[in-house]
């Protein structure tokens, strides 16, 4: 990007807003593209995704795990992919609670992390948030075959 020396402050602000929107959206676009490719065309597409994006296997794997934890209609446009990643291990009701709170308070990703770690004491008593059942769904999967179309939410 080449920034003209005579760029007005207003134009600079508009460009920054656009770049911010692009940055927040691009991780979702990338991972939705990845999941589609692997689900539609098979596991071999994962290797190509690594080559085309320059991102490592674990990074793509983690991104896909986060995306599968947040269906498109539950993603918050006003919050970054990193905000969602902080809450991915939680149950959907917990995720929705913290995402709503992060939006209302305009929290950074680090503020979300601190609040989530502080735990249920932060949450109003009237909200019934299920506790973990001890299953592996709350952890990033580390098992062979994770990249199968079924495990990516397809097929």
């Amino acid at each position: 990007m080449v920034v003209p020396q005579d760029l007005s402050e207003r134009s600079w602000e508009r460009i920054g807003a656009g770049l911010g929107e692009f940055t927040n959206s691009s991780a979702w676009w990338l991972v939705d593209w990845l999941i589609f490719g692997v689900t539609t065309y098979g596991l071999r597409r994962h290797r190509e995704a690594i080559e085309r994006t320059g991102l490592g296997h674990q990074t793509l794997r983690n991104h896909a795990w986060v995306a599968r934890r947040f269906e498109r209609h539950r993603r918050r446009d006003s919050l970054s992919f990193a905000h969602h990643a902080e809450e991915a291990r939680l149950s959907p009701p917990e995720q929705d609670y913290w995402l709503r709170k992060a939006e209302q308070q305009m929290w950074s990703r680090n503020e979300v992390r601190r609040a989530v770690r502080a735990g249920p004491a932060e949450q109003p008593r009237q909200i019934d948030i299920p506790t973990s059942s001890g299953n592996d769904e709350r952890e990033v999967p580390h098992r062979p075959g994770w990249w199968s179309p079924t495990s990516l939410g397809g097929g």
Side-chain angles (χ1 to χ4, degrees):
M1 174 180 206
V2 177
V3 180
Q5 293 300 311
D6 61 346
L7 184 69
S8 72
E9 187 173 359
R10 179 80 175 126
S11 294
W12 177 83
E13 290 170 353
R14 282 197 315 262
I15 291 169
L19 290 172
E21 287 179 33
F22 178 79
T23 300
N24 287 339
S25 299
S26 64
W28 291 115
W29 298 339
L30 173 75
V31 76
D32 289 341
W33 167 81
L34 170 67
I35 291 171
F36 175 85
V38 172
T39 302
T40 305
Y41 306 115
L43 184 58
R44 66 186 170 82
R45 303 320 299 182
H46 172 66
R47 285 184 294 282
E48 179 145 344
I50 292 171
E51 290 173 21
R52 294 208 179 265
T53 65
L55 298 172
H57 166 77
Q58 192 63 45
T59 298
L60 292 174
R61 179 178 164 168
N62 291 346
H63 276 48
W65 182 76
V66 170
R68 287 187 3 249
R69 300 286 292 158
F70 292 96
E71 301 89 0
R72 281 187 185 92
H73 71 275
R74 293 185 53 241
R75 298 173 186 175
R76 307 289 177 112
D77 291 339
S78 63
L79 300 174
S80 70
F81 184 86
H83 282 90
H84 290 76
E86 288 297 329
E87 301 170 13
R89 65 181 170 74
L90 304 173
S91 70
E94 290 172 308
Q95 292 169 348
D96 292 338
Y97 170 82
W98 289 114
L99 289 172
R100 185 173 48 256
K101 188 125 171 126
E103 274 186 319
Q104 291 168 349
Q105 302 296 321
M106 298 184 347
W107 282 343
S108 69
R109 184 216 40 159
N110 288 340
E111 289 169 318
V112 168
R113 177 181 288 173
R114 280 191 292 275
V116 169
R117 285 182 180 170
E122 284 272 330
Q123 300 170 23
R125 296 279 183 232
Q126 69 269 22
I127 295 178
D128 184 28
I129 296 181
T131 57
S132 171
S133 61
N135 64 24
D136 291 341
E137 296 246 344
R138 295 172 63 93
E139 301 295 327
V140 176
H142 294 287
R143 57 187 177 272
W146 182 86
W147 280 108
S148 72
T150 303
S151 70
L152 286 173

